[in-house]
Amino acid sequence: MAASESITTTLQYPIWIEDGKIHCDEAGLLSHLAQNLHYSVYDAIKIMGEITKHINRNLQYFWDKAARNMSTESIRVILQSVQHSQLNCMLSYPDSSYYTALNCCAYNLRGDMIKMILDCVNEDECYSYLGTTEGEWGLAPIHWSCSKGDTEAVRAMLYHLNQDKRYSLLQKTQDVFRNTPLHDASLCGNTDIMKVIFESVTQTQWINI
């Protein structure tokens, strides 16, 4: 990114991505919190404090730490304070284990964060992120959520997609052992998730998966 582009981005969006790092204009973010997101001064300062603990760091480490340590509200502010094209960069950047944002959130049972991320991107982007298998075992976010029993995360993932994309995700998303999300839910005894999957597809689609 050229210097002039960085300046323009900073003025329009208080959080931006450059050279694989997340940067924050603290004064700009504080103003954004108060004027555009309508936080009180007290709440704006509190959120600013949490964000600045984590924000100026490499994307390679950000989502793993964010999924374990950051509040839902602070993540919401970050997602609402970055340009959309840069948001996609933020969400698709792999960590040291080759996991991206949604995989880190699914692994850490952050269904609230998963829903928030999916609310910020369009349906095609949702499908792309949810269907991308990553890491040594070729796991997608929905594999983690199905195996760990995070029913609400699975529900959020499926209902951010239309019927055809939902079916495609459930049928085509396979790990290195060719396990689908339904396999993982079944192997781990997560019957509530099996029910969510069943209710999200047609009877013919259910038979096929």
Side-chain angles (χ1 to χ4, degrees):
M1 182 183 294
S4 60
E5 292 176 329
S6 177
I7 292 170
T8 301
T9 302
T10 304
L11 290 173
Q12 293 178 346
Y13 300 93
I15 295 172
W16 72 100
I17 312 300
E18 189 174 6
D19 299 328
K21 291 186 69 177
I22 309 178
H23 300 272
C24 176
D25 172 3
E26 294 185 21
L29 180 56
L30 201 59
S31 174
H32 177 64
L33 283 163
Q35 295 180 19
N36 300 329
L37 301 182
H38 309 295
Y39 284 91
S40 68
V41 173
Y42 173 81
D43 288 338
I45 292 172
K46 183 179 177 182
I47 290 171
M48 265 289 301
E50 183 177 13
I51 288 176
T52 53
K53 285 181 183 178
H54 299 88
I55 198 74
N56 292 310
R57 63 171 65 248
N58 291 328
L59 275 169
Q60 187 176 29
Y61 305 104
F62 173 74
W63 280 107
D64 178 56
K65 293 186 179 300
R68 288 187 283 115
N69 299 314
M70 289 191 76
S71 70
T72 304
E73 196 64 19
S74 292
I75 290 295
R76 188 196 311 276
V77 168
I78 292 172
L79 297 175
Q80 292 176 339
S81 304
V82 65
Q83 190 176 24
H84 189 78
S85 61
Q86 294 209 315
L87 174 63
N88 284 318
C89 174
M90 181 190 290
L91 296 178
S92 59
Y93 202 94
D95 70 8
S96 55
S97 300
Y98 304 102
Y99 290 134
T100 54
L102 287 174
N103 251 329
C104 290
C105 294
Y107 178 81
N108 286 284
L109 296 172
R110 291 301 301 269
D112 56 339
M113 199 178 289
I114 289 170
K115 184 179 186 304
M116 195 177 300
I117 290 171
L118 297 179
D119 284 342
C120 290
V121 297
N122 65 43
E123 188 176 52
D124 287 338
E125 291 164 342
C126 282
Y127 180 75
S128 176
Y129 294 141
L130 292 173
T132 300
T133 54
E134 302 166 342
E136 181 181 0
W137 306 112
L139 298 171
I142 196 167
H143 283 124
W144 282 118
S145 295
C146 283
S147 62
K148 284 175 169 281
D150 194 342
T151 306
E152 292 309 310
V154 174
R155 183 177 283 110
M157 292 176 189
L158 295 178
Y159 285 92
H160 272 80
L161 302 174
N162 66 35
Q163 190 77 45
D164 290 339
K165 285 186 171 65
R166 195 181 301 162
Y167 171 54
S168 178
L169 180 73
L170 292 168
Q171 186 185 44
K172 295 180 180 179
T173 306
Q174 300 180 12
D175 64 18
V176 294
F177 302 109
R178 300 189 67 187
N179 287 326
T180 65
L182 183 59
H183 283 130
D184 285 340
S186 177
L187 286 166
C188 295
N190 294 323
T191 54
D192 286 345
I193 289 178
M194 295 174 68
K195 183 178 179 182
V196 168
I197 293 173
F198 173 74
E199 292 173 346
S200 74
V201 296
T202 67
Q203 187 175 32
T204 300
Q205 290 171 339
W206 170 257
I207 293 170
N208 288 339
I209 64 173

